[in-house]
């Protein structure tokens, strides 16, 4: 199989997978409006989301993923085709890199083909093709990094270190931990090469220095962004998956199969998120083939005579040891206990997803099999052995040949519904003086028409937008006040009378009610019930809604009928809402404004107290509202000593001191 054959194997299966459907891969805004995403990416403060936020690794989309999708849109390529070409290109880059590496190390063409297939068709990619393909860039770049490192040591000069740095530039910008894990492989080669004597050590140190300088130079642009996010943004690492979650699936046997990733076995109410996952647990042929590949490779390592055998064996061993991490979490080995302790540091938390080291294991196994096939020294035997390895590799991907690379629970149509386009156009029409609040909140934006993970609205408008999602954006205080409203919506304790005052207080001019959510998936509010709360009668302080889309029944999946006490107490004749409705806020307060400092409202509490005060009519959203905070008593006394008499100022300070609670920065002060 030559390069043309590898290209066909890379692109054709992706193009045949779910034609016309767009996976939720990486960032939906790459497909909705890549130009808008690129325009925001260079900035380390994003005022458009979460009351303003320091974006997490958003700058990384400046290259290569953002420009690629911008170009595809500019030339009119359908989103789903552009996505499949992107995925196919990653797969082809991984294959060509592995093939070149193996041929450079002296394997025969049949052996190189066998190793290439093992690396290219690894199940490792299935955890990411439908969801986080940007993380596969490190997998695609690994064999190139190793090959350029080898040549840099052997030939000297700056050419190969520069090529190494270009690969780092292309694969490392969005997720630092994936890059760190694959850089272990060239680092191991440098260490082993330095052990070859004084001359070898000198050449190795020189090559390593050139590689380090150039790679650091091309990475400064995104490293600075990551550093700023860590210093001034929300603690994203602490707010996402825990070490316990990450270690749940990192068993050594699964790592050797190319899996070991908690994402791969992830589930929600509708089942496995990744369609192919079940087969790796229950399909006998798939299980056999996926185990046979590492068993055959390790057996080959035991009898193989090849100068590079030690290096590829070390890749397998080191990769497996690192990948296991804290598994099993509740009864770890001494190494696992040490890793759990390491997780308490910032670096340890960043590297908790140890399964991202699996490309090292796969490359090690592929290299051993490539050399093993070549060692047979008989053309016929080489071809037979290569065919056996290829057959096992293909068998290990039977789930892909059955259902494709993507997953039906993680995609949407190529074009989003027209009513969403019309609704976002209406939001744009009203200008950006005030924010947009979208309700109800949802963990991941699974609409009845498809899953996007992220809400589509902020990708289509320039107005500041806020909605409760599983990963919060903004500041701790802004997240607090958003959660205070949304959990009332989720729990059925929401009081419509609070909404307009709340909206004015947080500078919201339009409230978007999304009623086309797949609400049973994450147990969010029932559309008919929430619609009736807002419209029967119309919630005070809101304008009559502007409706988008036809009001059709939004019924749950038969597998999750949601026939419970909430549904049973909903009136039989309750009206079905339109998919999207926009409620203007009467006398909305713009983001940039002033508020009178005389007679402020003091609340001994946080966002919860603010929502309750709004429901009770104690605030209407136009006053200056202060939350109590003990460490600002002196500042508050000085501020109000000019507008209040001494006794009143003392009373304010005493009230704050008694409460000793924190201030909410979204509330004007």
């Amino acid at each position: 199989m030559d390069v043309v054959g590898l290209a066909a194997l890379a692109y054709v299966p992706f193009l045949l997978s779910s034609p016309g459907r767009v996976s939720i891969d990486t960032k939906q805004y790459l497909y909705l409006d890549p130009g808008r995403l690129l325009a925001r990416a260079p900035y380390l403060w994003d005022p458009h989301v979460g009351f303003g936020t320091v974006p997490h690794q958003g700058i990384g989309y400046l290259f290569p993923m953002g420009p690629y999708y911008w170009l595809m849109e500019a030339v009119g390529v359908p989103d789903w085709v552009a996505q499949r070409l992107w995925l196919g290109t990653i797969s082809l880059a991984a294959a060509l890199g592995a093939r070149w590496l193996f041929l450079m190390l002296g394997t025969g063409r049949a052996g190189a083909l066998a190793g290439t297939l093992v690396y290219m068709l690894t199940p490792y990619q299935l955890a990411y093709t439908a969801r986080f393909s940007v993380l596969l860039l490190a997998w695609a770049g690994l064999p190139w990094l190793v090959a350029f490192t080898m040549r840099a040591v052997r030939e000297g000069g700056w050419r190969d270190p520069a090529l190494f740095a270009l690969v780092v530039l292309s694969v490392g910008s969005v997720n630092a931990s994936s890059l760190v894990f694959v850089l272990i492989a060239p680092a191991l080669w440098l260490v082993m090469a330095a052990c070859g004597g004084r001359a070898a050590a000198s050449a190795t140190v020189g090559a390593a220095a050139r590689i380090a300088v150039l790679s650091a130079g091309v990475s400064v642009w995104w490293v600075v962004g990551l550093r700023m996010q860590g210093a001034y943004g929300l603690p994203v690492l602490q707010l996402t998956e825990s070490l316990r979650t990450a270690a749940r699936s990192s068993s050594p046997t699964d790592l050797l199969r190319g899996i070991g990733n908690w994402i791969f076995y992830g589930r929600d109410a509708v089942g496995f998120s990744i369609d192919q996952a079940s087969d790796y647990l229950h399909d006998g042929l798939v299980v056999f083939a996926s185990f046979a590949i590492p068993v055959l490779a390790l057996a080959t390592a035991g009898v193989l005579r090849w100068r590079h055998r030690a290096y590829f064996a070390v890749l397998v061993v080191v990769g497996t040891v690192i990948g296991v991490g804290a598994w099993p979490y509740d009864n770890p080995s001494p190494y696992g206990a040490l890793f759990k302790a390491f997780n308490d540091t910032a670096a340890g938390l960043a590297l908790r997803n140890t399964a991202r080291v699996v490309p090292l294991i796969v490359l090690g196994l592929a290299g051993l099999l490539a050399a093993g096939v070549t060692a047979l020294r008989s053309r016929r035997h080489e071809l037979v052995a290569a065919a056996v390895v290829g057959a096992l590799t293909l068998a290990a991907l039977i789930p892909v040949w059955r259902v494709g690379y993507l997953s039906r629970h993680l995609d949407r149509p190529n074009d989003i519904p027209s009513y969403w386009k019309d609704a976002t156009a209406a939001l744009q029409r009203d200008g950006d003086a005030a924010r947009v609040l979208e309700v109800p909140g949802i963990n991941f934006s699974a609409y009845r028409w498809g899953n996007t993970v992220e809400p589509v609205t902020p990708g289509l408008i320039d107005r500041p937008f806020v909605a409760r999602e599983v990963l919060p954006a903004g500041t701790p205080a802004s997240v607090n006040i958003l959660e205070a409203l949304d959990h009332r919506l989720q729990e059925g304790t929401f009081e419509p009378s609070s909404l307009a005052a709340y909206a004015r207080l947080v500078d919201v001019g339009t409230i978007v009610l999304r009623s086309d959510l797949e609400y049973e998936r994450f147990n969010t509010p029932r559309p008919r019930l929430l619609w009736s709360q807002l419209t029967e009668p119309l919630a005070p302080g809101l304008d009559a809604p502007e409706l988008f889309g036809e009001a059709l029944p939004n019924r749950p999946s038969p597998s999750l009928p949601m026939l419970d006490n909430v549904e049973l107490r909903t009136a039989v004749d309750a009206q079905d809402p339109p998919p999207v409705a926009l409620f203007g806020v009467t006398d909305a307060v713009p983001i940039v404004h002033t508020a009178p400092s005389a007679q402020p409202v003091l609340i001994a509490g946080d966002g919860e107290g603010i929502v309750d005060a709004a429901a009770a009519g104690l605030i209407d959203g136009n006053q200056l509202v202060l939350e109590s905070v003990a460490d600002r008593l002196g500042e508050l006394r000085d501020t109000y000593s000019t507008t209040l008499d001494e006794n009143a100022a003392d009373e304010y300070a005493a009230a704050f001191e008694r409460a000793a609670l924190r201030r909410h920065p979204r509330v004007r002060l």
Side-chain angles (χ1 to χ4, degrees):
M1 183 184 293
D2 57 12
V3 174
V4 175
L6 290 175
L9 188 57
Y11 289 106
V12 172
F14 280 112
L15 289 168
L16 294 177
S17 298
S18 307
R21 305 287 295 182
V22 175
S23 173
I24 62 174
D25 179 36
T26 305
K27 203 77 174 169
Q28 272 298 298
Y29 311 135
L30 291 165
Y31 310 103
L32 294 171
D33 191 338
R36 181 177 274 112
L37 177 69
L38 281 174
R40 297 175 183 175
Y43 299 96
L44 298 181
W45 174 256
D46 186 356
H48 300 92
V49 178
F51 298 108
T53 188
V54 179
H56 178 59
Q57 294 188 328
I59 196 171
Y61 292 105
L62 286 175
F63 185 80
M65 203 169 187
Y68 168 80
Y69 279 101
W70 176 85
L71 178 62
M72 291 294 102
E73 183 178 76
V75 299
V77 177
D79 290 340
W80 79 271
V81 175
Q83 185 178 74
R84 304 309 190 273
L85 295 177
W86 165 262
L87 294 169
T89 300
I90 293 175
S91 183
L92 181 60
L96 294 180
R99 179 177 181 270
W100 180 51
L101 173 63
F102 300 148
L103 290 174
M104 188 177 76
L105 296 179
T107 66
R109 292 178 63 87
L113 174 60
T116 298
L117 291 176
V118 169
Y119 192 74
M120 176 189 189
L121 300 179
T122 172
Y124 172 75
Q125 62 188 300
L126 298 181
Y128 301 110
T129 49
R131 184 65 185 93
F132 298 108
S133 72
V134 71
L135 301 186
L136 289 176
L137 292 176
W139 163 68
L142 173 58
W144 298 97
L145 294 173
V146 172
F148 288 136
T149 302
M150 292 177 175
R151 284 206 326 189
V153 173
R154 186 175 67 237
E155 299 181 7
W158 288 90
R159 181 191 65 174
D160 290 303
L163 293 171
F164 184 103
L166 286 176
V167 175
V168 169
L169 172 66
S170 301
V171 309
S173 58
V174 173
N175 192 273
S177 65
S178 296
L179 177 63
V180 168
F181 282 126
V182 299
L183 287 178
I184 294 172
L188 286 173
W189 175 265
L190 291 170
V191 170
M192 296 177 71
C195 297
R198 181 176 299 178
S202 176
T204 301
V205 170
R210 289 186 286 271
I211 286 172
V213 168
L214 294 178
S215 298
V218 300
S219 302
V220 169
W221 62 282
W222 62 264
V223 171
V224 169
L226 187 62
R227 176 68 183 89
M228 292 299 100
Q229 189 281 323
Y232 300 105
L234 288 175
V236 173
L237 295 176
Q238 289 89 339
L239 295 172
T240 50
E241 67 276 3
S242 65
L243 178 62
R244 175 185 289 275
T245 299
R248 184 172 58 205
S249 303
S250 60
S251 67
T253 52
D254 259 9
L255 291 168
L256 288 168
R257 290 204 292 164
I259 309 174
N261 194 318
W262 69 271
I263 298 174
F264 185 74
Y265 292 124
R267 303 177 67 109
D268 60 27
V270 299
F272 282 110
S273 297
I274 296 174
D275 289 348
Q276 301 86 357
S278 178
D279 287 334
Y280 287 89
L281 293 174
H282 307 299
D283 187 298
L285 179 57
V286 173
V287 172
F288 169 79
S290 61
F291 274 114
I293 293 170
V295 168
L296 187 59
L298 294 175
T300 299
V303 298
L304 182 65
R305 293 185 178 182
W306 184 41
R307 59 178 300 195
H308 303 297
R309 178 186 67 168
Y311 173 69
F312 285 93
V314 166
L315 285 183
V316 176
V317 173
V318 170
T320 304
V321 170
I322 293 174
V324 166
W327 180 91
Y329 187 86
D330 292 319
N331 187 29
S333 65
Y335 165 75
L338 184 64
F339 190 88
K340 287 175 69 173
F342 175 57
N343 186 247
D344 291 333
T345 67
L349 193 58
L351 298 175
R352 66 195 183 281
N353 282 302
T354 54
R356 292 176 187 172
V357 80
V358 165
L360 270 69
I361 302 172
V362 179
L363 185 64
L365 298 174
L368 293 171
L369 287 171
V373 170
T374 301
L376 295 175
R377 299 189 182 281
S378 163
R379 180 63 175 170
R380 179 183 176 185
H381 291 163
E382 285 185 37
L383 292 175
V384 171
V388 171
V389 172
L392 289 173
T393 303
L394 294 172
L397 273 190
I398 283 177
V400 170
W401 316 136
R402 286 176 180 164
V403 302
Y405 272 104
L406 306 187
S407 297
R408 66 188 184 280
H409 298 308
L410 300 176
D411 67 5
R412 64 165 174 86
N414 187 78
D415 296 315
I416 67 172
S418 59
Y419 58 76
W420 269 111
K421 296 178 182 179
D422 295 339
T424 52
L427 291 172
Q428 283 285 84
R429 177 197 64 209
D430 292 339
D432 60 359
R435 293 187 174 90
V436 170
L437 169 65
E438 193 161 88
V439 295
I442 190 171
N443 289 354
F444 302 102
S445 293
Y447 301 92
R448 187 63 61 196
W449 45 267
N451 191 352
T452 62
V453 173
E454 302 146 322
V456 298
T457 315
L460 296 171
I461 63 174
D462 292 319
R463 289 181 65 178
F465 168 91
V466 63
R468 200 275 301 170
E469 301 178 64
V470 68
L471 181 61
T475 64
S478 66
V479 171
N480 170 261
I481 199 168
L482 180 61
E483 291 279 354
L485 175 71
D486 189 69
H487 83 70
R488 287 165 167 77
L489 291 168
Q490 305 293 335
E491 295 174 359
T493 60
F494 166 67
E495 296 175 85
S497 59
S498 68
L499 191 53
Y502 175 93
R504 296 187 195 102
L505 198 64
V506 294
D507 312 328
V508 165
T510 308
I511 296 169
V512 179
L513 176 64
R514 45 185 176 182
S515 299
D516 60 346
L517 295 175
E518 198 176 1
Y519 60 88
E520 73 275 13
R521 192 162 180 176
F522 300 107
N523 197 23
T524 53
R526 314 299 164 86
R528 292 189 298 160
L529 191 58
L530 186 52
W531 174 253
S532 67
Q533 285 183 293
L534 293 179
T535 61
E536 299 175 5
L538 182 65
L542 299 186
D543 299 333
E546 188 175 358
L547 313 180
F548 297 88
E550 184 179 358
L552 298 174
N554 182 354
R555 299 292 182 256
S557 166
S559 62
L560 292 168
M562 304 296 286
L563 190 60
D564 54 14
N565 62 322
V566 176
E567 187 65 28
L568 292 174
R569 76 167 183 257
T570 304
V572 176
D573 59 350
Q575 184 180 1
D576 289 309
V580 181
L582 307 185
F583 293 83
V585 178
T586 306
D587 299 323
V589 177
I591 297 171
V592 179
H593 68 277
T594 61
S597 59
Q599 297 298 313
V601 175
L602 299 179
I603 293 182
D606 59 0
E608 302 287 339
I610 289 174
V611 175
D612 287 339
L618 299 177
I619 58 176
D620 63 10
N622 292 299
Q623 308 100 323
L624 179 64
V625 176
L626 303 176
E627 289 182 74
S628 53
V629 56
D631 61 0
R632 301 185 70 250
L633 297 180
E635 179 184 340
L636 290 167
R637 185 187 298 273
D638 293 340
T639 299
Y640 290 103
S641 62
T642 60
T643 58
L644 304 173
D645 61 39
E646 184 176 348
N647 291 334
D650 288 340
E651 290 176 7
Y652 275 119
F656 274 74
E657 188 170 15
R658 286 193 299 271
L661 296 173
R662 62 180 175 79
R663 174 180 61 92
H664 196 297
R666 286 291 99 198
V667 180
R668 291 171 297 286
L669 182 61

